[in-house]
Amino acid sequence: MTLDIPGRQASHQAAIEFLARGDHPMLLGADWVPARSGKWMETTEPATGAVLGRFPDADACDADRAVQAARTAFEQGNWPAMTPSQRARILWRAAELIEQHLDELAELETLDQGKPVWVGRYAEIPGAAEQFRFFAGQAQRIEGNTVPTSINYQPAGKQVFAYTLKQPVGVVAAIVPWNSPLVLTAMKLAPALAAGCCVVLKPAEDTSLTALRLGELLLQAGLPAGVLNIVTGRGDVVGAALAAHPGVDKISFTGSTPVGRAVLAAAGGNLKRVTLELGGKSPVIVMPDADLDAAIAGAANAIFFNTGQVCVAGSRLYVHREVFDRVVNGIADIARGLKLGHGLDATTQIGPLVSRRQAGRVHRYVQDAIAAGARALVGGGRLGPNDSFIEPTVLVDVRPDMACVKEEIFGPVLVATPVDSLEEALALANDSDYGLAASVWTRDLSTAQRTAARLKSGTVWINCHLMFDASLPIGGVKQSGWGRESGQAAIDNYLELKTVCAVV
Ligand code: NAD
């Protein structure tokens, strides 16, 4: 099978103008600058391999400049000292600007990342705007407590009065992956800025364009210079420099588990606060009493949405044996009908993976699985002019010890296993180093509630999967990470709790 991808151009005037710049400098303090070394990196369109533009190939020296700019803004600038209402207005304005630039941002994201344009247009870019809107509200709800103590020491005529304050942690380094660049960036920037922190953002090297455009929009929204700095470049250079930098107070990292471990080790030098949103291998459990049509459609969407490049993708399927054939054949039928194509083609359902390299990695998992005895019910092929497309794939006859079952593939590849009972499904679902998300499909309320309680994961969906909202905490247990993003508590990632105890 071959896949001809006609070249596609941005059609939105603002996206055309942005791309026409060719070189996209990074943001340090008030200035858009190249790397001090003068080096640039190219970013390419995944579907075709065409060069889209260049951004600075920054190094540790540039990372240091960005940290200094953020430190100066934090210690001497007015951002932490602004009233919550003032900060909230700027974040709210940022949400509005993102929405006003929705089509432009969706096109840029598609060209840089490859995703079908409707994914950005209807899910991720509005999701990014909602993060700013939600945390604009949270900026005004940062509260300490008054604390009744049992301290005996009370000089005559005086009393002990104790309370807590929540204060911004300081300079935050936010490191972001390439699968959903803008919304994952917003999930860090919105709460960090709402808390009054100053930020150095390090986008992924495959997808830096929308982060740079977002930087412009945030300045337009009124963010003071230095509060957000964007330093582009390689993860093992710039990311590693930020993780180890003594001037960074907090690292907020989203990415793979191995890199998360490296970030954690590097952060140990000055004992930075660390939150980690890492990999997943999320199970989908289908019981025989489920609405099977809904389960089939839901399980297919859980693995094929965004071409499987979703941290919480439903990549392991456990189906009761009574309905196994119907469910996996139904998902395979959907897979066969999905239209592969360029992300800017409005009819495309499956775009390329983010890069030829990532497609090679995913394809190796499929080939190794087949060599080890698995069977591809559908898919398995690698296509496209840049070899960057992977057919939606369903693997059966898999064993729990296979790499395709144990490891995160991060592509449109589902591994399906029949089970004889809910107990067996739970045991297999929980037999993973990961614990990011899971779903269960059943009409039985008791099965649903028991399963939700016993699945070892940060999120459990019942009769749905991939349901996100700025108000819903998301994050992992086990090796899927530390902490949560989104939701009210996420702002605490960027706050320190201070105790004040007074004799007055
Ligand atoms: P990655 O770990 O390779 O890279 C993530 C980011 O870290 C990039 O910006 C990269 O440049 C940087 N980086 C690389 N090496 C570094 C180092 N030594 N020190 C500091 N930074 C470094 O991940 P990826 O391949 O870009 O993204 C895919 C991964 O992200 C998957 O594992 C996916 O599950 C995970 N992810 C998790 C969530 C979540 O919320 N849990 C969300 C999205 C993606």
Side-chain angles (χ1 to χ4, degrees):
M1 185 176 168
T2 56
L3 182 68
D4 290 326
I5 301 292
R8 295 256 171 191
Q9 307 289 326
S11 61
H12 199 272
Q13 189 55 32
I16 294 169
E17 284 168 16
F18 182 79
L19 292 169
R21 298 181 200 168
D23 286 351
H24 303 281
M26 58 190 183
L27 179 61
L28 297 191
D31 304 315
W32 293 93
V33 297
R36 185 158 280 176
S37 69
K39 290 187 190 161
W40 295 83
M41 288 177 89
E42 283 181 344
T43 189
T44 58
E45 204 186 317
T48 61
V51 175
L52 275 177
R54 302 194 309 170
F55 57 85
D57 184 2
D59 58 19
C61 161
D62 298 305
D64 184 54
R65 292 158 71 202
V67 173
Q68 299 307 335
R71 175 60 59 194
T72 303
F74 186 72
E75 304 296 348
Q76 296 164 26
N78 56 358
W79 185 248
M82 266 186 198
T83 68
S85 167
Q86 288 170 320
R87 280 203 301 275
R89 279 164 197 262
I90 291 171
L91 297 180
W92 194 271
R93 177 91 184 106
E96 289 174 339
L97 282 170
I98 291 169
E99 283 170 346
Q100 283 165 23
H101 290 264
L102 218 164
D103 292 314
E104 172 198 349
L105 290 166
E107 281 197 352
L108 291 178
E109 197 84 301
T110 286
L111 284 166
D112 208 14
Q113 204 279 339
K115 65 182 68 236
V117 70
W118 54 267
V119 172
R121 176 69 182 73
Y122 297 105
E124 295 186 356
I125 314 291
E130 279 307 306
Q131 289 284 331
F132 282 97
R133 198 163 275 131
F134 181 81
F135 284 102
Q138 296 304 313
Q140 299 182 81
R141 293 195 190 93
I142 299 171
E143 295 171 353
N145 296 318
T146 54
V147 185
T149 72
S150 303
I151 296 170
N152 279 328
Y153 172 73
Q154 275 188 6
K158 307 225 170 199
Q159 61 178 3
V160 175
F161 176 59
Y163 58 97
T164 58
L165 292 174
K166 287 188 177 175
Q167 297 181 316
V169 71
V171 172
V172 173
I175 303 179
V176 182
W178 45 255
N179 56 317
S180 299
L182 199 80
V183 66
L184 294 175
T185 298
M187 285 165 71
K188 299 190 183 308
L189 294 189
L193 296 174
C197 291
C198 295
V199 181
V200 179
L201 169 67
K202 207 305 264 167
E205 44 273 60
D206 283 328
T207 56
S208 293
L209 291 189
T210 51
L212 293 165
R213 185 70 185 108
L214 178 65
E216 294 177 339
L217 295 179
L218 283 168
L219 293 183
Q220 194 181 330
L223 200 69
V227 174
L228 172 66
N229 306 273
I230 307 175
V231 56
T232 54
R234 286 171 39 197
D236 57 351
V237 178
V238 179
L242 291 172
H245 200 294
V248 172
D249 300 302
K250 150 110 197 163
I251 290 269
S252 175
F253 175 82
T254 300
S256 61
T257 297
V259 175
R261 228 174 257 123
V263 164
L264 187 58
N270 65 335
L271 293 177
K272 292 177 183 64
R273 279 70 185 119
V274 179
T275 42
L276 301 170
E277 298 288 335
L278 305 178
K281 190 77 183 174
S282 299
V284 174
I285 297 175
V286 181
M287 297 308 288
D289 67 309
D291 173 344
L292 291 184
D293 290 337
I296 289 165
N301 187 55
I303 185 63
F304 300 135
F305 180 80
N306 203 30
T307 319
Q309 302 164 113
V310 180
C311 55
V312 291
S315 50
R316 290 183 294 146
L317 179 67
Y318 298 106
V319 186
H320 198 282
R321 200 176 296 278
E322 281 173 25
V323 293
F324 182 78
D325 287 346
R326 179 170 163 199
V327 171
V328 293
N329 287 328
I331 296 171
D333 283 345
I334 290 176
R336 272 183 214 101
L338 291 173
K339 181 168 180 281
L340 277 61
H342 193 291
L344 285 187
D345 178 340
T347 61
T348 290
Q349 291 165 301
I350 296 277
L353 295 196
V354 70
S355 63
R356 185 192 189 122
R357 178 175 37 85
Q358 179 65 7
R361 185 180 161 275
V362 172
H363 196 226
R364 263 192 307 284
Y365 269 107
V366 175
Q367 288 178 314
D368 290 352
I370 290 170
R375 183 163 54 92
L377 211 54
V378 63
R382 182 179 179 186
L383 313 161
N386 193 30
D387 278 335
S388 53
F389 286 80
I390 297 289
E391 290 173 325
T393 302
V394 178
L395 296 174
V396 293
D397 300 342
V398 296
R399 296 184 309 275
D401 62 336
M402 285 179 172
C404 65
V405 176
K406 290 169 67 167
E407 296 171 19
E408 182 180 50
I409 298 178
F410 223 57
V413 180
L414 179 67
V415 295
T417 304
V419 293
D420 290 305
S421 65
L422 179 62
E423 284 306 312
E424 187 186 359
L426 284 169
L428 288 170
N430 284 335
D431 180 21
S432 173
D433 290 339
Y434 294 112
L436 197 51
S439 64
V440 57
W441 297 76
T442 176
R443 285 192 174 99
D444 184 323
L445 195 55
S446 147
T447 301
Q449 299 293 6
R450 273 188 298 145
T451 307
R454 289 179 57 193
L455 280 169
K456 293 180 181 160
S457 68
T459 293
V460 176
W461 287 295
I462 298 170
N463 296 328
C464 58
H465 201 109
L466 303 185
M467 299 286 269
F468 303 108
D469 192 76
S471 66
L472 288 174
I474 186 125
V477 303
K478 298 196 272 185
Q479 293 182 34
S480 287
W482 284 359
R484 298 290 180 271
E485 292 192 322
S486 294
Q488 285 183 21
I491 201 163
D492 286 334
N493 292 335
Y494 303 97
L495 294 166
E496 291 283 12
L497 189 66
K498 178 181 279 181
T499 302
V500 181
C501 185
V503 175
V504 286

